[in-house]
């Protein structure tokens, strides 16, 4: 597969032992859906709840566009390797750009959902040292990964990193239990969380300082995962679960 090729892959059908795959070069397109002779498709989704021509994928360089040709159903594109990132493509939406290198496209079906995978080539990034001169750009979130507060932030994010579908955020007693080697009290953990919120990530209360006391923990996790300040690689900083 060339660097700019988009690969679409469908799980193997019960009558076949290999997944179906389709490659698209930049500028090429593929229709997906239930398919009928009058509306053929490139990727067959054999479910009565799926439209005859449910959607279209267009390869564009190192990313791709998704069109939802249904007039009533929303499609979801998620990043299986990320921290719960997903994009909703509303009915009738044409040419929605998908930012993930690895995506699962999910459609409503008669018995739950039906999905397929799309692999985009590795995205192109600006090479290091290509800044245009002038004053140095400040770091937006200056986090020290060797600091105690960063391990606390990783512990806060751990449930979401291990299961993106969960909304659970660890409590302070749970963080103390998860990081026994730090030897920190409830007050000390609370201080580090406040320090992260006020000095490092600059999160603000949605209620102007009022409301539940745990808003900081939720805001920190949301921000850290949204901008990849904490990723699954950082779980190595935590003790092995169960030990």
């Amino acid at each position: 597969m060339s660097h700019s090729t988009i690969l679409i892959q469908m799980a193997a059908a019960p009558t076949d032992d290999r997944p179906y795959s389709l490659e698209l070069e930049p500028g090429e397109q593929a229709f997906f859906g239930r398919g009928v002779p009058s509306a053929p498709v490139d990727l067959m989704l054999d479910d009565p709840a799926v439209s005859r021509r449910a959607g279209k994928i267009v390869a564009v360089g190192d990313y791709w566009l998704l069109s939802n040709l249904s007039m009533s159903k929303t499609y979801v594109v998620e990043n299986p390797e990320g921290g719960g990132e997903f994009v909703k493509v509303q009915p009738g939406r044409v040419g929605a750009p998908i930012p993930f290198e690895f995506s699962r496209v999910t459609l409503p079906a008669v018995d739950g959902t039906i999905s397929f995978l799309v692999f985009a080539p590795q995205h192109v990034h600006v090479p290091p040292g290509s800044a245009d001169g002038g004053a140095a750009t400040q770091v937006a979130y200056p986090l020290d990964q060797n600091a105690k507060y960063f391990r606390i932030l990783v512990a806060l994010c751990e449930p979401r990193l291990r299961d993106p579908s969960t909304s659970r955020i660890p409590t302070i007693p749970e963080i103390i239990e998860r990081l026994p080697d730090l030897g920190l009290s409830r007050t000390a953990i609370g201080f580090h969380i406040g320090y992260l919120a006020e000095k490092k990530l600059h999160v603000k209360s949605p209620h102007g300082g009022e409301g539940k006391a745990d808003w900081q923990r939720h805001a920190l996790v949301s921000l850290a995962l949204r901008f990849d300040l904490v990723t699954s690689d950082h779980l190595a900083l935590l003790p092995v679960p169960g030990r």
Side-chain angles (χ1 to χ4, degrees):
M1 183 174 65
S2 65
H3 177 75
S4 58
T5 299
I6 304 295
L7 176 64
I8 306 170
Q9 190 170 81
M10 185 77 182
T15 56
D16 195 358
D17 60 354
R18 293 185 303 172
Y20 172 81
S21 63
L22 177 68
E23 294 184 8
L24 299 179
E25 298 293 333
E28 294 182 339
Q29 64 183 25
F31 287 94
F32 59 88
R34 195 168 79 248
V36 291
S38 60
V41 295
D42 304 285
L43 185 68
M44 178 76 72
L45 303 179
D46 189 13
D47 189 278
V50 175
S51 302
R52 295 173 180 85
R53 269 195 173 178
K56 180 176 68 173
I57 289 173
V58 178
V60 184
D62 63 350
Y63 69 100
W64 53 283
L65 305 175
L66 175 63
S67 295
N68 182 350
L69 303 182
S70 166
M71 293 296 105
S72 61
K73 298 179 177 68
T74 295
Y75 303 159
V76 176
V77 185
E78 61 180 323
N79 176 10
E81 296 181 324
E85 302 99 333
F86 67 92
V87 174
K88 290 183 179 181
V89 183
Q90 303 296 333
R93 175 72 159 91
V94 175
I98 305 302
F100 311 133
E101 296 178 22
F102 177 33
S103 306
R104 178 183 292 112
V105 182
T106 303
L107 287 68
V110 169
D111 187 17
T113 60
I114 189 168
S115 63
F116 58 89
L117 302 175
V118 180
F119 300 85
Q122 184 173 357
H123 294 180
V124 177
H125 298 278
V126 176
S130 60
D132 56 359
T137 303
Q138 295 184 4
V139 177
Y141 304 117
L143 297 174
D144 180 0
Q145 297 187 12
N146 296 314
K148 291 181 179 179
Y149 67 72
F150 188 79
R151 292 185 64 197
I152 292 171
L153 181 60
V154 175
L156 284 170
C157 296
E158 182 180 22
R160 289 275 300 277
L161 288 170
R162 296 193 186 279
D163 180 8
S165 66
T166 187
S167 60
R168 190 176 74 82
I169 306 294
T171 62
I172 288 180
E174 288 174 332
I175 295 173
I176 293 174
E177 183 177 353
R178 189 70 181 91
L179 298 171
D181 58 308
L182 293 185
L184 297 178
S185 65
R186 289 178 62 106
T187 301
I189 295 289
F191 170 82
H192 282 292
I193 290 174
Y195 179 71
L196 279 164
E198 297 170 15
K199 303 298 183 182
K200 290 296 183 179
L201 303 189
H202 309 292
V203 299
K204 293 179 174 59
S205 169
H207 306 289
E210 301 177 356
K212 294 183 178 180
D214 61 357
W215 69 267
Q216 284 184 329
R217 291 182 293 114
H218 287 267
L220 287 171
V221 170
S222 178
L223 183 67
L225 295 181
R226 183 183 305 131
F227 291 105
D228 287 337
L229 305 179
V230 175
T231 69
S232 56
D233 291 340
H234 295 122
L235 292 174
L237 296 174
L238 303 179
V240 176
R243 290 188 180 180

